[in-house]
Amino acid sequence: MFDFSRLNKGLEKRCLDKLKRFLYDEWMINGGVLMMKRAFSGVQPTGNIHIGNYLGALRQFVELQETMDCFYCIVDLHSITVPQDPKELYEHSLDVAALYIATGLDPKKSTIFIQSTVPAHAELAWLLQCNSYTGELSRMTQFKDKSRNQESAPTGLFTYPILMAADILLYDANVVPVGNDQKQHIELTRDLAIRFNNKFGETFVVPEGKFNTFGARIMALDDPTKKMSKSAENPFSLISLLDTPQKVKKSIMRATTDSESEIRYDEENKPGISNLLTIYSLFSGLSISDLEKKYEGCGYGTFKKDLVEIINESLKDIQDRYQEIRKSDELIQILKEGKEKASEIANQTLIRAKKNLGFVLL
Ligand code: AQP
């Protein structure tokens, strides 16, 4: 961080104008101060992280920590929008934290914390709720999907996109790395921030979503028209980062394909094999066209067997690291430090919002 306002005014302006032309995407000038941009994202502890979460979101988290000031959260308040077994919720929250680290997040570079340990999330969500409308929430497709076939859905399921907006806005995040199932929620967050700023004065940074261009939506293995999901009923529809090699093999060998045998990327006519090609490409680093050439004339069986090996190799490293960290005191220490750092920043934003709303601050 460099404070240009310490320079004399003429020099400050010249330096800033020159710098702006050379700034990388990851940097910004805020109030005369050159700063790293900030990223925020989270994962729900609704089960074990699957390869969709990993390829669509977590790998981006790890990349971004090299160039941005990153805050990554285990969003337990979101997970209770659907029923959770308390014992499982507790274990899954620590599992997700350990998996964050096992997949490459470095607590020295990223702030890792559990959402419910920072009360400002729930408080800001209320302030935003009072400035949002049932009409805009009714349009959220995730609410429609998750409440389908329920006569009366939990209120939290309806309002959680506002909690997500609060999560992001509390940290003045410029960038939100997510899978593309979250596009609509990021748009809502932007709308809420702009509305609040217009009504009550500059309060929030308006964030942008960061979506992978490829692999932003990994599909379910048993039904490639639906996204892979932690809470799916069929365990073979997903591959969790903690799955055994045998479970990975079963899931891939059973994965829905089509009646042809040609290994070709065609999302519309061959969604199953296209999904498997995407997964193969992301784990191996080989392009889709390289894979199509490699498997020309081979049947689905050979392709699937190789894919099982590639996935198992990648998961082994993650699982070894996970075993080391999961039961260690280090994990709790990392989460405590994350809570402290996150609270400091979140409380500043919350105070700004309350002050602008006209609340008495004592
Ligand atoms: N299938 C997917 N492909 C790519 N990215 C995905 N994400 C989720 N599913 C896929 C991204 O992973 C991050 C964490 O997701 P989440 O835990 O906050 O909630 P979710 O999107 O609702 O994920 P699940 O797995 O489907 O959980 P459940 O079943 O509990 O609802 C997000 O960035 C998400 O975009």
Side-chain angles (χ1 to χ4, degrees), residues 41-58 60-61 75 78-79 82 84 96 100 142 146 160 164 176-183 211-212 215-220 226-232 238:
S41 199
V43 173
Q44 298 186 69
T46 37
N48 279 322
I49 295 184
H50 54 69
I51 58 171
N53 302 134
Y54 174 60
L55 300 172
L58 256 88
Q60 289 203 79
F61 296 5
V75 286
H78 286 275
S79 67
V82 293
Q84 298 294 332
V96 172
Y100 269 180
Q142 290 229 352
K146 291 190 175 177
Y160 89 89
M164 180 169 159
V176 189
V178 277
N180 75 0
D181 58 322
Q182 297 298 327
K183 261 189 183 155
F211 311 98
N212 275 340
R217 187 183 285 250
I218 301 296
M219 309 311 281
K226 290 193 187 136
K227 77 161 190 153
M228 188 176 282
S229 209
K230 282 188 229 87
S231 44
L238 63 97

Side-chain angles (χ1 to χ4, degrees), residues 69-306:
D69 181 20
C70 295
F71 285 74
Y72 296 124
C73 187
I74 294 104
V75 286
D76 54 351
L77 294 176
H78 286 275
S79 67
I80 59 165
T81 53
V82 293
Q84 298 294 332
D85 173 77
K87 279 198 191 106
E88 280 183 14
L89 177 62
Y90 181 90
E91 295 302 327
H92 282 148
S93 298
L94 295 175
D95 288 347
V96 172
L99 280 170
Y100 269 180
I101 294 160
T103 51
L105 286 185
D106 177 351
K108 290 196 189 80
K109 297 178 183 164
S110 298
T111 305
I112 300 169
F113 66 104
I114 297 180
Q115 184 188 27
S116 63
T117 63
V118 181
H121 288 251
E123 200 174 341
L124 183 61
W126 176 253
L127 306 186
L128 293 175
Q129 234 180 95
C130 296
N131 286 286
S132 55
Y133 298 96
T134 51
E136 56 195 346
L137 291 180
S138 312
R139 287 193 289 275
M140 297 294 121
T141 54
Q142 290 229 352
F143 171 71
K144 288 187 199 162
D145 288 348
K146 291 190 175 177
S147 62
R148 191 160 291 139
N149 305 328
Q150 292 188 44
E151 206 176 294
S152 177
T155 318
L157 195 59
F158 186 60
T159 57
Y160 89 89
I162 299 177
L163 177 60
M164 180 169 159
D167 300 339
I168 297 166
L169 299 179
L170 274 178
Y171 298 93
D172 291 338
N174 308 94
V175 173
V176 189
V178 277
N180 75 0
D181 58 322
Q182 297 298 327
K183 261 189 183 155
Q184 215 186 8
H185 293 159
I186 302 291
E187 269 317 304
L188 178 74
T189 302
R190 290 171 56 83
D191 290 347
L192 293 180
I194 294 169
R195 185 181 304 153
F196 197 100
N197 288 349
N198 287 341
K199 252 169 126 176
F200 303 106
E202 215 47 42
T203 311
F204 300 122
V205 170
V206 181
E208 274 176 35
K210 187 171 188 306
F211 311 98
N212 275 340
T213 41
F214 177 62
R217 187 183 285 250
I218 301 296
M219 309 311 281
L221 298 174
D222 61 339
D223 179 356
T225 61
K226 290 193 187 136
K227 77 161 190 153
M228 188 176 282
S229 209
K230 282 188 229 87
S231 44
E233 270 169 30
N234 176 6
F236 298 104
S237 75
L238 63 97
I239 292 174
S240 140
L241 295 187
L242 298 178
D243 274 351
T244 61
Q246 294 72 20
K247 159 73 175 30
V248 172
K249 187 170 175 192
K250 266 195 183 164
S251 307
I252 293 292
M253 296 317 274
R254 288 178 182 196
T256 303
T257 47
D258 51 62
S259 55
E260 295 178 3
S261 61
E262 192 190 358
I263 292 155
R264 176 170 52 84
Y265 192 90
D266 177 349
E267 263 183 48
E268 205 179 315
N269 300 308
K270 295 166 78 70
I273 211 71
S274 301
N275 189 37
L276 295 182
L277 273 166
T278 304
I279 296 171
Y280 196 141
S281 168
L282 288 167
F283 272 113
S284 66
L286 295 171
S287 69
I288 295 284
S289 61
D290 283 347
L291 290 172
E292 285 173 339
K293 267 185 228 137
K294 183 173 160 122
Y295 290 99
E296 211 176 314
C298 300
Y300 289 164
T302 315
F303 169 76
K304 282 181 164 182
K305 254 168 65 193
D306 288 357

